[in-house]
Amino acid sequence: MLHIVNKSPFENRTLENCLRVIVHEEGAALLLTEDGVYAATKGNIAENSLKAVMGKIKVYALWPDLEARGMQDRVIDGIKLVDYGGFVDLVAEHRNNQSWL
């Protein structure tokens, strides 16, 4: 399943709740979009939580959203960056998609 988080880790606990579920799913992937891309940057409050699950799930961040926020040079090592075409490919690759609100 592809899990999509668009909320900043500074705003609420959406990412934290997602990570608690996703870590138990085989083949799961996480895509960070919109303000959710703040979680993909070095030194943020979610960095350790993301690093803890990155060996179990694939983590992606939407490049245009990182660039729009000027955060493209601060991405945590191991997070894969995708453009809009990559976003569509991820949605098509996964049988189910869950947007976390």
Side-chain angles (χ1 to χ4, degrees), residues 57-79:
I57 65 168
K58 294 178 182 173
V59 180
Y60 301 89
L62 191 61
W63 169 262
D65 289 346
L66 279 162
E67 189 175 38
R69 289 157 181 80
M71 309 296 279
Q72 68 273 14
D73 297 329
R74 298 184 51 203
V75 177
I76 298 168
D77 295 335
I79 293 180

Side-chain angles (χ1 to χ4, degrees), residues 25-84:
E25 292 181 17
E26 187 173 329
L30 170 66
L31 174 62
L32 301 166
T33 66
E34 301 176 29
D35 286 344
V37 298
Y38 286 113
T41 60
K42 295 175 183 170
N44 81 80
I45 61 172
E47 181 176 5
N48 289 337
S49 298
L50 274 179
K51 285 182 173 178
V53 301
M54 286 174 61
K56 300 173 186 170
I57 65 168
K58 294 178 182 173
V59 180
Y60 301 89
L62 191 61
W63 169 262
D65 289 346
L66 279 162
E67 189 175 38
R69 289 157 181 80
M71 309 296 279
Q72 68 273 14
D73 297 329
R74 298 184 51 203
V75 177
I76 298 168
D77 295 335
I79 293 180
K80 297 176 179 135
L81 304 179
V82 295
D83 57 12
Y84 291 116

Side-chain angles (χ1 to χ4, degrees), residues 5-18:
V5 173
N6 69 348
K7 303 295 183 206
S8 167
F10 302 107
E11 180 182 340
N12 61 39
R13 301 176 76 165
T14 301
L15 178 61
E16 182 181 330
N17 292 333
C18 174

